[in-house]
Amino acid sequence: MEPYGIVSPGRFIEWMETDPAMYELGNFVLRTALQETVGLLAILPEFVLNVNVSARQMELEEFRPQVLRILEETGFPADHLCLELTERCRDMPLEVIRREVEFFQGYGIRMAMDDYGTGSASSGIVLHAPMDEIKLDMSFIRGITKRWKASRRKNCKIICGSIRLPGFRDISIRNRWESRNCGN
């Protein structure tokens, strides 16, 4: 372990995204994640791997062929990969985001918006780019099970009907949703 302990991505990603090394780091993370996970598909054939993608990666035209090359080299099936757009991707023009999303979806790669609800462009992206998955920012769901009252549980089923639970990062939150009959 590093002398500073575990460092949350929230403490370094914003800084790292301004560094030119972010493109190579992002590609390294993608390649490593696919290499480490490809064997898991034999045990869990429904498994989908979500990997964050930075604006630095999405902006470069060589990113498209790089992702396809990494998929081919690792033998990882495209339809089991979901690329998550990070918050800084929202600063890109909507047309560029839409074009990139549609390109990757054309190869069977799923696309997600990470941390939905933060930043001013979130709604615009949802309306203009055909995302496969929208991951709510933790600020929307942190502590939600403590705030629910019995009178609101009826509404829970309506709200949860449009949420794909596998997209939730925190399994304990997912389990609490399902235990309240919200996992329909």
Side-chain angles (χ1 to χ4, degrees), residues 87-148:
E87 187 173 345
R88 297 240 6 230
C89 289
R90 297 176 203 147
D91 295 336
M92 298 170 60
L94 289 175
E95 183 57 31
V96 172
I97 294 171
R98 186 190 61 72
R99 195 170 45 241
E100 295 304 304
V101 167
E102 289 177 349
F103 172 83
F104 288 115
Q105 288 173 331
Y107 284 90
I109 299 169
R110 300 174 193 194
M111 298 298 292
M113 181 189 309
D114 197 17
D115 297 329
Y116 178 77
T118 60
S120 59
S122 295
S123 298
I125 293 172
V126 171
L127 295 172
H128 292 91
M131 294 292 168
D132 297 298
E133 191 174 311
I134 297 171
K135 296 177 77 174
L136 298 176
D137 184 72
M138 285 300 294
S139 64
F140 286 104
I141 58 175
R142 187 176 290 123
I144 195 168
T145 57
K146 294 177 184 174
R147 295 189 305 257
W148 284 84

Side-chain angles (χ1 to χ4, degrees), residues 16-23 54-60 89:
M16 192 64 204
E17 282 190 333
T18 63
D19 191 294
M22 184 62 187
Y23 178 75
S54 72
R56 173 82 60 184
Q57 290 170 284
M58 291 286 284
E59 292 168 340
L60 297 174
C89 289

